[in-house]
Amino acid sequence: MDICSIASGSSGNCIYVGTDHCHLMVDAGISGKRIENGLNSIGLKTAEIDGILVTHEHSDHIGGLGVVTRKYGLPVYATKETIDAILHTRSIGKVEESLFHPIEPDMDFSIGDITIKPFSISHDAANPVAYVMENGSKKVAVATDMGKYDDYIVDKLQGLDVLLLEANHDIRMLQAGSYPYPLKRRILGEKGHLSNEASGQLLGKVLHDNMKKVILGHLSKENNYAQLAYETVRLEVTMGDNPYDGSDFPIVVAKRDEVTDLVNV
Ligand SMILES: [Zn+2]
Ligand SMILES: [Zn+2]
């Protein structure tokens, strides 16, 4: 299986996950042009995408969805509530309703040779999900936009080869920063985003000897930076109640506007 981040951050998200025979995207929150350029850089075209898995209707996840569905007629998978919210989002323009396929949390489905396992996340959207994707014995996940994690989430993220995990903000930077108070409260709340600290704590609960790579993503532009996310997550793993040191696993930080190296497992 291959996974790579085409874009990740509060300003736009698009993650490629695929095999030799099936090519998927998780979210399409950047322009159609950036999606095409990103896919080109890993030897693919948008027209070759077999499906778009949407996590939720916030603009940083669906900004390019209108363009790519109109241009390429790509099928879109999301919960019924997310689909309703997308169809009511004027900014993405007219979309063909028949391209949308409703899915449910905890109900596995397949596209080509990939089994997709959507699970619920705590976020201020209609009925948001994150995705675990499997091909044979290989298993990857994209888990962002989570205000909190619990045993259910920890359970869903067991046994992964690659995890793209949210490390959204540094709590002190956010508290001291320029965001208005209600927005700070939203981000810090149970339906907001995972801080670097919480991300590292969650990671400590899902690490295992065969985890091949961790990609930190969905960093806030205002309230975080790559080195801080990286160091904080590693420190939390090292200090946490788990057998590992933060340096035991390759951890990379996905860039807001650059394609990360393709990870193959
Ligand atoms: Zn969101
Ligand atoms: Zn988001």
Side-chain angles (χ1 to χ4, degrees), residues 56 58 60-61 123-125 145 186 192-193 218:
H56 64 294
H58 290 161
D60 57 319
H61 298 264
H123 193 58
D124 55 351
D145 301 77
R186 183 202 148 230
H193 292 277
H218 210 301

Side-chain angles (χ1 to χ4, degrees), residues 49-232:
I49 293 295
D50 296 294
I52 304 174
L53 312 176
V54 175
T55 58
H56 64 294
E57 71 277 16
H58 290 161
S59 60
D60 57 319
H61 298 264
I62 65 163
L65 196 63
V67 174
V68 292
T69 52
R70 279 191 295 277
K71 195 164 176 188
Y72 302 101
L74 302 178
V76 177
Y77 300 80
T79 63
K80 184 181 169 297
E81 294 79 4
T82 301
I83 293 173
D84 285 346
I86 292 170
L87 296 176
H88 286 96
T89 304
R90 285 211 192 124
S91 58
I92 65 164
K94 199 170 156 34
V95 286
E96 178 55 53
E97 253 184 90
S98 65
L99 293 172
F100 286 76
H101 302 272
I103 54 123
E104 283 178 45
D106 307 316
M107 294 279 283
D108 300 357
F109 63 101
S110 292
I111 303 174
D113 59 3
I114 299 179
T115 301
I116 297 138
K117 303 180 165 200
F119 60 95
S120 291
I121 49 173
S122 176
H123 193 58
D124 55 351
N127 183 11
V129 291
Y131 293 98
V132 167
M133 289 149 284
E134 280 183 6
N135 169 253
S137 62
K138 304 300 180 192
K139 190 172 174 184
V140 307
V142 176
T144 66
D145 301 77
M146 300 187 289
K148 61 169 187 179
Y149 67 85
D150 53 17
D151 291 346
Y152 166 82
I153 301 279
V154 170
D155 183 54
K156 296 289 175 184
L157 298 178
Q158 294 299 316
L160 295 167
D161 292 279
V162 186
L163 169 60
L164 188 148
L165 180 64
E166 173 167 55
N168 180 257
H169 57 274
D170 174 75
I171 295 171
R172 279 161 296 277
M173 276 182 79
L174 177 69
Q175 284 170 336
S178 64
Y179 277 13
Y181 179 68
L183 182 56
K184 288 183 182 179
R185 204 171 53 183
R186 183 202 148 230
I187 295 169
L188 290 167
E190 289 210 331
K191 290 184 175 291
H193 292 277
L194 276 192
S195 67
N196 294 338
E197 288 86 349
S199 178
Q201 288 156 11
L202 170 54
L203 183 59
K205 295 180 188 297
V206 302
L207 280 173
H208 59 101
D209 287 358
N210 290 318
M211 178 80 86
K212 314 260 181 348
K213 192 132 194 169
V214 176
I215 305 168
L216 302 177
H218 210 301
L219 271 68
S220 163
K221 192 176 181 183
E222 301 284 327
N223 304 307
N224 208 355
Y225 54 95
Q227 193 66 24
L228 182 60
Y230 175 77
E231 298 293 352
T232 307

